[in-house]
């Protein structure tokens, strides 16, 4: 959940993206304590001489600009911090994705049961590829165990399987493929759909809970329905 041991080094896992943070070390001797616990070489402690926030760092540039698929929700922040306007560019092809309303449950247990049922139905009966978004690595492993018990083949994308990431994403658009991903943003690889999948309704996105920011929710939704493809998305929430 917090770190992984790779090639004799303790590497921190970013809680929100599920990716390895290279070169980052815990301070106050915590990293050395973990190295001792994991029986790897104990490196010298690092010392911080100065820090700067990213916002202030960027403000040192004369010109600022950028492009992202999810800036619209943060327009107020861009103006407040950088005095930058956000302009929405219309999509190249009309969006055919069906964004369904959230399904709300009383308890977590009922929610995950419904998620497993939906994954099973979409992948086994409808033969649609399913992308399941989770907010942390722990939940992705929990879902993976539940799917194994049901005998549903699937791939898990998180810090532990960092290397095979692109291959997993490439496979994610095949009929009946199930992929569980922690905070799935662009990941640098498009999920390509086969003709058969397009006819059966495209990629189905299932969010196992709402993220802390609406922007990340939209990133997950945006994995389906790219370039005019069909697809659907739905979030499962528990009180």
């Amino acid at each position: 959940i917090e770190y992984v041991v790779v090639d004799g080094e303790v590497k921190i896992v970013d809680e929100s993206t599920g990716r390895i943070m290279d070169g980052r070390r815990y301070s106050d001797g915590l990293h050395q304590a973990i190295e001792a616990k994991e029986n790897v070489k104990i490196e010298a402690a690092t010392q911080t001489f100065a820090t700067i926030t990213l916002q202030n760092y960027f403000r040192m540039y004369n010109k600022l600009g950028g492009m992202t698929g999810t800036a619209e929700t943060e327009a107020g922040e861009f103006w407040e911090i950088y005095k930058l306007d956000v302009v929405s560019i219309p999509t190249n092809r009309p969006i055919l994705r069906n964004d369904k309303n959230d399904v709300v449950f009383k308890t977590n247990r009922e929610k995950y049961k419904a998620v497993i049922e939906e994954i099973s139905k979409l992948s086994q009966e409808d033969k649609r590829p399913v992308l399941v978004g989770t907010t942390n690595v722990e939940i992705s492993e929990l879902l993976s165990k539940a799917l194994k018990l049901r005998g549903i083949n699937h791939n898990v994308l998180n810090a532990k399987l960092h290397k095979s990431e692109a291959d997993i994403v490439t496979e994610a658009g095949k009929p009946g493929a199930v992929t569980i991903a922690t905070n799935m943003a662009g990941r640098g690889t498009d999920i390509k759909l086969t003709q058969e999948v397009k006819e059966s309704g495209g990629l189905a996105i299932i969010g196992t809970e709402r993220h802390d920011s609406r922007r990340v929710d939209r990133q997950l939704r945006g994995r389906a329905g790219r370039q005019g493809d069909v697809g659907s998305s739905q979030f499962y929430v528990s009180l």
Side-chain angles (χ1 to χ4, degrees), residues 117-132:
E117 291 302 329
E118 184 69 359
I119 293 171
S120 170
K121 180 190 167 295
L122 288 167
S123 64
Q124 316 279 325
E125 291 170 34
D126 305 349
K127 291 282 174 269
R128 284 176 65 187
V130 184
L131 178 66
V132 188

Side-chain angles (χ1 to χ4, degrees), residues 5 13 23 38 49 82-83 88 92 101 109 112 119 122-123 128 137 147 157 162-163 165 173 179 196 216:
V5 180
V13 172
E38 294 293 348
F49 287 106
Y82 307 114
K83 294 286 178 277
S88 248
N92 179 33
N101 287 331
R109 196 192 181 106
Y112 289 125
I119 293 171
L122 288 167
S123 64
R128 284 176 65 187
V137 180
L147 288 175
L157 253 188
H162 196 61
K163 297 248 182 343
E165 185 174 295
T179 312
E196 186 188 337
V216 186

Side-chain angles (χ1 to χ4, degrees), residues 170-181:
T170 317
E171 298 289 303
K174 300 202 165 150
V178 177
T179 312
I180 301 174

Side-chain angles (χ1 to χ4, degrees), residues 126-232:
D126 305 349
K127 291 282 174 269
R128 284 176 65 187
V130 184
L131 178 66
V132 188
T134 66
T135 53
N136 63 43
V137 180
E138 203 177 358
I139 296 169
S140 70
E141 314 238 291
L142 178 104
L143 272 176
S144 176
K145 276 189 192 132
L147 288 175
K148 269 193 192 115
L149 288 173
R150 289 284 292 263
I152 298 171
N153 274 341
H154 62 282
N155 279 315
V156 182
L157 253 188
N158 60 34
K160 293 181 182 168
L161 306 159
H162 196 61
K163 297 248 182 343
S164 47
E165 185 174 295
D167 305 333
I168 293 175
V169 177
T170 317
E171 298 289 303
K174 300 202 165 150
V178 177
T179 312
I180 301 174
T182 308
N183 284 7
M184 182 83 187
R187 296 280 181 186
T189 317
D190 256 348
I191 296 175
K192 296 213 166 29
L193 307 180
T194 60
Q195 196 49 46
E196 186 188 337
V197 165
K198 286 179 184 176
E199 281 157 22
S200 64
L203 177 66
I205 305 278
I206 294 178
T208 55
E209 65 185 277
R210 286 286 189 170
H211 296 77
D212 290 339
S213 88
R214 194 170 39 154
R215 193 176 68 80
V216 186
D217 287 340
R218 287 183 155 191
Q219 274 182 342
L220 177 60
R221 281 210 146 126
R223 298 308 297 154
R226 293 172 84 85
Q227 292 291 355
D229 283 342
V230 285
S232 68

Side-chain angles (χ1 to χ4, degrees), residues 12-23:
I12 301 175
V13 172
D14 185 325
E15 218 169 87
S16 52
T17 61
R19 294 196 143 158
I20 289 173
M21 299 200 278
D22 257 324

